[in-house]
Amino acid sequence: GQSLIDFAKEHPDIVLDIHLDDRFVDLVEEGFDLAVRISRLENSSLIARRLAPFSVRLCASPDLIAKHGMPMRPQDLARIPCIIDTNGRWLTNWPFKGDAGDTMSVSVSGPIEVNSPMTARAAAVAGLGFTMLPDFIAIPEIESGRLVTALDDRLLSGSGIFAVYPHRRYLPAKVRVFVDFLVQWFKTRESA
């Protein structure tokens, strides 16, 4: 959100029509110039430019860990309360690196389902369970000590935040300016 506000300040001549939506939009069909997505890309007719790396953290409050113990293996989460983000990619099957370096998933459940990572974070801070959070959402609470991470070495990485736009030979200048801006914006925050 902040990146959009910074861009609007720098480019008062470009009108931003922003749709914050967790569903997967069809850019061409719905007439959007650009989307920012967190995922690997399936559709080859779209151009994607990687803006920043993206990783997740498995977190819970110190109180919850004191009560249920720190999970030593992903399988331990099956018996510990977890917070399900219904907008997340994994729902109740959370992926991890297996013992042999392969990918495995653990079926989790818990007392609360939410539909945004911010709400999942608030629920985790309140001690309701473990949750998977994007690192940039988790970090402030980890630094403040309100959340603790677990199983860091078993989490899958390698995803990214992408600017995605329809394949057009002549990319509108406004879109190019915006993509370049986002690339720089994320870069300055990574080094911060």
Side-chain angles (χ1 to χ4, degrees):
Q2 187 59 49
S3 59
L4 302 172
I5 292 162
D6 292 349
F7 179 80
K9 276 200 267 189
E10 268 183 47
H11 300 274
D13 52 324
I14 296 179
V15 176
L16 291 178
D17 180 4
I18 300 164
H19 296 254
L20 297 177
D21 206 328
D22 280 319
R23 74 196 169 84
F24 206 76
V25 298
D26 184 323
L27 291 178
V28 180
E29 214 29 36
E30 301 185 38
F32 287 105
D33 288 318
L34 172 133
V36 175
R37 287 185 183 154
I38 298 173
S39 64
R40 294 190 181 83
L41 291 149
E42 320 298 323
N43 184 341
S44 59
S45 72
L46 298 173
I47 309 289
R49 186 149 167 211
R50 195 158 185 240
L51 300 173
F54 173 80
S55 54
V56 292
R57 304 284 178 99
L58 176 69
C59 314
S61 70
D63 291 354
L64 185 100
I65 292 168
K67 197 153 118 195
H68 292 276
M70 179 65 94
M72 292 297 130
R73 306 168 65 225
Q75 296 87 320
D76 295 343
L77 290 169
R79 54 167 186 78
I80 298 176
C82 292
I83 298 156
I84 313 301
D85 182 353
T86 56
N87 267 333
R89 231 179 321 166
W90 304 306
L91 300 176
T92 57
N93 286 313
W94 291 359
F96 293 93
K97 284 180 199 151
D99 296 327
D102 48 345
T103 304
M104 58 171 292
S105 70
V106 175
S107 183
V108 297
S109 62
I112 185 168
E113 290 190 356
V114 299
N115 69 350
S116 87
M118 301 305 266
T119 314
R121 180 177 76 177
V125 168
L128 293 175
F130 272 90
T131 194
M132 287 274 204
L133 292 175
D135 56 358
F136 58 89
I137 288 175
I139 284 166
E141 301 294 4
I142 294 165
E143 286 174 349
S144 74
R146 288 196 292 215
L147 289 179
V148 177
T149 65
L151 299 173
D152 290 333
D153 56 337
R154 301 295 290 269
L155 295 174
L156 300 172
S157 56
S159 193
I161 301 175
F162 295 90
V164 183
Y165 40 93
H167 180 56
R168 296 197 191 105
R169 192 167 304 146
Y170 304 108
L171 187 64
K174 63 181 179 180
V175 176
R176 195 168 35 241
V177 167
F178 187 46
V179 173
D180 289 344
F181 173 86
L182 288 175
V183 169
Q184 280 311 116
W185 191 86
F186 279 106
K187 210 172 264 160
T188 56
R189 265 140 203 83
E190 268 172 69
S191 53

